[in-house]
Amino acid sequence: MIQSRVHVSDLREHVGRTVTVFGWVNTLRLQSKMQFVVVRDGTGMVQVTHKRDDGPLEARLQALTPESAVKITGRVADAAQVKLGGLEIVPEAVEVLNPAATPLPIDEQTGVEHRLDWRFLDVRRRPAAQLMFAVQTTLEQGLREYAYAQGATEMHTPKLMGTASESGAEVFELGYFGRSAYLAQSPQFYKQMAISAGIEKVFEIGPVFRAEPSFTSRHATEFTGVDVELAWIDGVEDVMAFEEQMLTHAIAKVADAHGEAVRERFGVEITVPTTPFPRITMAEAHEILRKGGWDPEGIKEDLDPEGERSISAHIRQVTGHEFVFVTHYPVGIRPFYHMRPADDPSVTLSFDLLWKGLEITTGAQREHRYDVLLKQAAEKGMSREPMQDYLNAFRYGCPPHGGLGMGLGRVLMVMLGLESIREATFLFRGPNRLTP
């Protein structure tokens, strides 16, 4: 009896039986006496072996092209000489569900930019790319699990805004019924409104838009942000503690589900970090880096990519830890809504989290006092009027709160040792890419 579909990874359990496999033609070796077709599904590859006999099967196999979608029915046989699991399928019926045009537009030598033009084929043909999405799914599941366990509410905030958020820079403007709207560069203001609405712990995993003309390996114009906001905090330390626990939980889940496959496909070991993560103030980071010859003029307020890599390497050398929170960023390079400590108003109660030298998160305690917010916005030269809806959320008893924004693609990039965020996204969007 012909069974319903069997995945390639389960064929060992069906030796001696007739099965049906669905998949794509991976490779063809059509010899004078034998026809060998390797078929690939999402779980693995199997060799289909047919002895030429001038019959309809021979003709059908002869006409196959690489990447055609096929349905193969046949008997599973032990074949010790076959490298693919020591098994083969002796075909009884071959159905071409959709023939692939030939030649294929990409191959193993194709560079990343051209591969992105044919991303569906690129992902289909590379098991590592498919594994990346499985890892992403598990990672998000782990992040959500932790947030739910802490009593957080998952929110979905608007991606269309009537005014340009934050500083007004780096936003995409679009037409909206005869006036202008903007794509949200962060759910920041909305999740703070949710805190003011009495929802004590808020998180969102959703799209973020940044109109930055950046062509680096870590920037995208549209990416998935993981945002958290927590009410009634004692200080920014509560936010950092939440993040390190959330990340540790999610990374442990990925290590458990995919650690072996990641080692095999990416050559990377997923190490579950210990908590707490090391913390270092920006002033301390500057001092350490300048001793090593970074920023000899002493003019940089922020850490550039080289500085981030160097301070991470230093922390790893001293503590053995891959993560580090850099805290107390200067007021000049942080938004107006970051809280400033009473004893040193030149800095903010904010942080970046670096993982192996790459910034994956920015967070802070927010300023929740209406009068202080107005003062800090004025200092930054910002007009009250476009922000009035946001500012109203602080006029009627908004609690102390803080939160963070993490880039999902960057986390995946570091976790899997990918060279570019282009590889950590299904369909990448950058200044030069709006297709496919």
Side-chain angles (χ1 to χ4, degrees):
M1 189 180 84
I2 293 175
Q3 299 180 333
S4 58
R5 182 185 184 187
V6 172
H7 285 106
V8 167
S9 58
D10 297 329
L11 286 174
R12 173 57 61 195
E13 297 160 29
H14 296 270
V15 172
R17 292 189 217 145
T18 295
V19 300
T20 297
V21 169
F22 290 86
W24 289 275
V25 173
N26 193 70
T27 48
L28 293 149
R29 280 191 301 130
L30 306 172
Q31 299 175 350
S32 58
K33 293 185 178 170
M34 301 291 292
Q35 292 168 304
F36 300 102
V37 179
V38 174
V39 173
R40 181 188 73 245
D41 70 8
T43 70
M45 294 195 273
V46 64
Q47 179 171 293
V48 177
T49 305
H50 181 250
K51 190 173 183 180
R52 288 187 186 271
D53 56 3
D54 290 331
L57 271 185
E58 178 181 325
R60 204 156 283 173
L61 291 168
Q62 196 65 27
L64 289 177
T65 55
E67 294 306 320
S68 291
V70 293
K71 173 186 178 183
I72 308 274
T73 298
R75 192 172 48 80
V76 183
D78 262 316
Q81 76 281 9
V82 177
K83 286 178 184 166
L84 297 171
L87 292 174
E88 63 185 8
I89 291 178
V90 179
E92 295 164 13
V94 172
E95 190 180 338
V96 180
L97 303 173
N98 196 338
T102 184
L104 294 170
I106 58 171
D107 60 26
E108 284 69 24
Q109 274 65 56
T110 305
V112 66
E113 278 305 316
H114 188 48
R115 282 198 283 111
L116 291 183
D117 292 336
W118 299 95
R119 185 63 164 154
F120 67 94
L121 262 183
D122 177 43
V123 171
R124 186 207 298 174
R125 286 163 52 86
R126 290 192 304 120
Q130 295 188 21
L131 173 60
M132 197 277 293
F133 295 111
V135 167
Q136 176 185 301
T137 300
T138 304
L139 178 69
E140 282 192 53
Q141 188 186 359
L143 296 170
R144 281 194 170 91
E145 247 175 29
Y146 181 80
Y148 294 152
Q150 300 306 305
T153 301
E154 187 167 6
M155 303 292 281
H156 300 287
T157 61
K159 302 305 162 223
L160 287 168
M161 307 178 83
T163 56
S165 59
E166 303 194 16
S167 64
E170 297 167 355
V171 289
F172 290 109
E173 186 177 352
L174 61 153
Y176 194 77
F177 304 109
R179 56 195 167 112
S180 283
Y182 306 88
L183 291 177
Q185 12 162 209
S186 160
Q188 181 61 52
F189 290 177
Y190 296 127
K191 61 183 181 169
Q192 287 186 267
M193 285 181 195
I195 292 293
S196 203
I199 302 170
E200 293 197 2
K201 289 175 179 160
V202 175
F203 82 99
E204 176 170 15
I205 300 178
V208 177
F209 302 90
R210 297 274 164 92
E212 288 180 86
S214 295
F215 297 87
T216 74
S217 62
R218 62 188 192 284
H219 284 93
T221 52
E222 178 183 351
F223 61 90
T224 301
V226 179
D227 275 85
V228 175
E229 207 69 26
L230 311 169
W232 308 107
I233 60 170
D234 283 334
V236 69
E237 180 57 44
D238 288 354
V239 182
M240 291 190 280
F242 186 98
E243 177 168 32
E244 64 195 4
Q245 295 293 341
M246 182 168 74
L247 266 174
T248 301
H249 177 83
I251 292 167
K253 202 171 178 67
V254 171
D256 187 46
H258 309 289
E260 206 174 310
V262 166
R263 195 180 306 120
E264 185 187 326
R265 294 280 178 205
F266 292 96
V268 172
E269 195 68 45
I270 295 179
T271 310
V272 181
T274 55
T275 54
F277 296 175
R279 283 116 164 95
I280 185 172
T281 67
M282 180 61 106
E284 290 167 334
H286 275 157
E287 195 180 329
I288 290 163
L289 289 170
R290 287 188 177 125
K291 276 182 188 164
W294 176 82
D295 184 30
E297 293 86 18
I299 52 169
K300 289 180 181 170
E301 279 194 288
D302 207 348
L303 297 180
D304 57 11
E306 184 203 346
E308 290 175 347
R309 287 190 294 270
S310 299
I311 202 67
S312 284
H314 171 82
I315 294 294
R316 189 159 188 184
Q317 196 179 352
V318 173
T319 67
H321 216 289
E322 293 178 350
F323 289 86
V324 58
F325 283 112
V326 180
T327 67
H328 296 84
Y329 276 68
V331 163
I333 53 172
R334 285 308 209 213
F336 76 95
Y337 54 79
H338 282 192
M339 186 179 269
R340 304 169 189 182
D343 59 352
D344 184 3
S346 71
V347 297
T348 54
L349 294 169
S350 66
F351 64 86
D352 274 5
L353 178 59
L354 311 180
W355 186 10
K356 292 185 183 175
L358 185 69
E359 174 213 315
I360 59 167
T361 301
T362 295
Q365 179 166 3
R366 319 301 183 189
E367 182 50 73
H368 60 283
R369 296 163 294 185
Y370 181 68
D371 54 336
V372 181
L373 265 176
L374 290 182
K375 181 168 147 283
Q376 291 183 181
E379 275 175 29
K380 295 259 185 192
M382 297 175 78
S383 160
R384 266 171 71 169
E385 199 182 342
M387 297 191 296
Q388 199 53 57
D389 282 332
Y390 167 70
L391 291 168
N392 284 342
F394 302 92
R395 293 174 64 191
Y396 303 99
C398 184
H401 62 283
L404 61 96
M406 177 178 10
L408 185 70
R410 288 193 180 187
V411 173
L412 285 164
M413 191 178 149
V414 181
M415 180 183 275
L416 301 177
L418 303 173
E419 284 182 17
S420 168
I421 203 156
R422 289 162 177 76
E423 301 267 18
T425 315
F426 178 43
L427 298 171
F428 173 74
R429 291 291 176 258
N432 288 344
R433 184 169 288 279
L434 267 173
T435 56

